[in-house]
Amino acid sequence: MKRQSVTVLGSTGSVGVNTLDVIAGHPDHFEIFALSASTQTELMLAQCMRFKPHYAVMVSGPHARDLAQKLKSNGLETHVLSAPDALEFIASDERVDIVMAAIVGAAGLAPCMAAARAGKRLLLANKEALVVGGEVFMQAVREGGAQLLPIDSEHSAIFQSLPEDPAVWAERIDKIILTASGGPFRTRAPATLRDVTPDEACAHPNWVMGRKISVDSATMMNKALEVIEARYLFGLKSAQIEVVIHPQSIIHSMVQYRDTSVVAQLGTPDMRVPIAYGLAWPGRITSGAQALDFRALSTMTFAAPDNQHFPGLPLAWEVLDAPTGTPAILNAANEVAVAAFLDRRIRFDQIHLVNRGTLDAVHASQVHGIEDLLSLDAQARVAAVAIAGKMTI
């Protein structure tokens, strides 16, 4: 059997590291074509030495030169790239079968579009590509003949709970239910959220994630973005998507059918499970994750999210019902707001105020393609920076 050639975009992040862990367990099934990172030279060096990719992309030029020198010193022939279009190249090259899109933020949109147009199997862990790209991105998937498989645990759970034939989804599905852990502050008094520190916000109770997505989980903006992503992934109306708090993170999401039957996907909270599913689909391979032991489960609880703790969550349905391109504005504002919070320039409770203010200040007009979406993204970032700069902490 021919090994599948894989590009991992964002290989030094948590999803990228987990992807390489799964691939390492199946050397007869997969080989690494290319890896990419931003600035983590030492980890990239270690990954290159272990997997020996054809290409390694470092977004930062100085870090690329540093990596190239270290690879040469270790006798490795991996080519190091840092050109502006390098990510698109390693995502669309004809030698690539599978692209894991694990770059955080809107920066992942361009290589995702390139992979989609080239007809790759695209494993989407970068939710912002769909949030920003929306229907423009989905059109590229259709026209390129790409296979789009979600890697977020919630969307993978939905995908695994759906019929194999997408043509019957609309007639059979009543709604989908995305579960959310509620993050570390779901039981904390709302009045105390202004005092949350970046380290507290990044300490997720169930999942090991990067700092940006950990903050998004604490505000539940990650769930707002997942609602938007689900709308495009599964072709549903916004009213057919619900969110429920499930602190144990055992049920990863559910599909309710027209007859009120509910189909759910369960498992331990380990990203290697959806990663392994995406890599092997429609087959199954071992993931390395611990199996779920029902005898050890005490309780599974559920609750509705409240707007006092999570005021940003309702913005998902608001932007989906707004003009095309509005989700891109929300995503850009949130990236700016989270960065400002992590830099201690705004408070935790001010993240929502930046997002709300940016949506009020920037309005989507006609969107015809990716250039229009990127223009909206840029306008929103300028507005969000200005709003955050006026806040006092």
Side-chain angles (χ1 to χ4, degrees):
M1 182 181 68
K2 175 183 176 292
R3 292 194 296 173
Q4 297 285 288
S5 181
V6 183
T7 284
V8 182
L9 302 171
S11 66
T12 59
S14 60
V15 173
V17 168
N18 279 311
T19 299
L20 292 178
D21 184 69
V22 174
I23 287 174
H26 301 276
D28 295 335
H29 290 76
F30 307 103
E31 61 182 358
I32 297 298
F33 176 75
L35 303 173
S36 85
S38 180
T39 59
Q40 294 196 56
T41 306
E42 293 302 323
L43 180 52
M44 175 62 87
L45 174 63
Q47 291 177 345
C48 288
M49 292 183 67
R50 181 176 186 184
F51 294 97
K52 298 177 174 56
H54 294 285
Y55 295 96
V57 174
M58 299 297 291
V59 175
S60 163
H63 289 87
R65 290 188 289 273
D66 183 32
L67 177 65
Q69 183 175 356
K70 290 177 177 178
L71 288 172
K72 185 177 180 180
S73 299
N74 283 276
L76 293 181
E77 298 180 355
T78 297
H79 299 286
V80 180
L81 307 175
S82 63
D85 61 349
L87 292 175
E88 289 92 321
F89 165 68
I90 63 171
S92 61
D93 188 274
E94 61 182 9
R95 292 166 286 181
V96 176
D97 301 303
I98 301 172
V99 176
M100 168 58 78
I103 296 175
V104 175
L109 176 58
C112 283
M113 290 286 289
R117 289 169 176 151
K120 306 302 181 185
R121 173 180 292 189
L122 180 56
L123 309 185
L124 193 65
N126 172 279
K127 61 174 64 67
E128 292 85 358
L130 256 180
V131 172
V132 176
E135 185 54 37
V136 173
F137 178 74
M138 293 305 297
Q139 183 177 351
V141 170
R142 291 190 295 268
E143 292 178 352
Q147 293 177 331
L148 181 63
L149 298 177
I151 299 301
D152 272 346
S153 61
E154 296 83 0
H155 299 99
S156 178
I158 295 297
F159 189 77
Q160 294 180 59
S161 301
L162 288 169
E164 289 188 9
D165 183 5
V168 305
W169 290 356
E171 67 184 49
R172 296 185 185 180
I173 298 170
D174 181 30
K175 62 183 177 182
I176 63 174
I177 304 166
L178 301 176
T179 58
S181 70
F185 309 130
R186 62 183 179 82
T187 61
R188 183 163 168 165
T192 68
L193 294 178
R194 61 175 289 128
D195 302 320
V196 166
T197 68
D199 286 344
E200 289 175 324
C202 291
H204 195 281
N206 298 339
W207 298 92
V208 177
M209 304 180 293
R211 288 174 69 80
K212 193 269 181 182
I213 194 172
S214 294
V215 175
D216 282 346
S217 180
T219 63
M220 270 186 64
M221 274 303 301
N222 73 317
K223 207 57 53 178
L225 298 177
E226 287 171 12
V227 168
I228 298 167
E229 187 181 7
R231 155 68 182 84
Y232 293 109
L233 276 172
F234 305 116
L236 301 175
K237 299 176 182 177
S238 60
Q240 291 179 281
I241 307 170
E242 292 185 5
V243 172
V244 64
I245 301 291
H246 171 47
Q248 295 79 21
S249 296
I250 299 298
I251 296 178
H252 296 304
S253 278
M254 299 167 272
V255 176
Q256 181 173 304
Y257 287 88
R258 293 291 174 86
D259 61 359
T260 71
S261 295
V262 176
V263 177
Q265 187 265 338
L266 287 71
T268 52
D270 191 320
M271 281 304 298
R272 290 177 296 179
V273 175
I275 289 168
Y277 179 75
L279 285 168
W281 182 86
R284 298 271 183 172
I285 58 174
T286 57
S287 65
Q290 184 177 357
L292 188 63
D293 184 357
F294 284 93
R295 296 166 299 180
L297 295 180
S298 54
T299 59
M300 290 195 293
T301 59
F302 305 90
D306 71 90
N307 293 347
Q308 278 192 306
H309 281 91
F310 310 114
L313 182 60
L315 297 179
W317 291 271
E318 178 182 329
V319 300
L320 282 174
D321 294 334
T324 300
T326 307
I329 297 171
L330 175 60
N331 178 74
N334 187 62
E335 287 189 20
V336 170
V338 171
F341 167 67
L342 289 173
D343 290 342
R344 299 179 184 270
R345 290 183 280 114
I346 66 172
R347 300 192 310 266
F348 179 80
D349 62 328
Q350 291 174 325
I351 293 174
H352 172 65
L353 299 180
V354 173
N355 293 341
R356 175 73 269 169
T358 305
L359 285 173
D360 293 338
V362 181
H363 303 284
S365 55
Q366 291 186 343
V367 173
H368 300 291
I370 191 65
E371 294 80 10
D372 296 329
L373 291 169
L374 293 176
S375 176
L376 275 176
D377 176 270
Q379 293 175 51
R381 289 175 190 277
V382 170
V385 167
I387 292 168
K390 295 177 181 178
M391 291 182 171
T392 58
I393 58 175

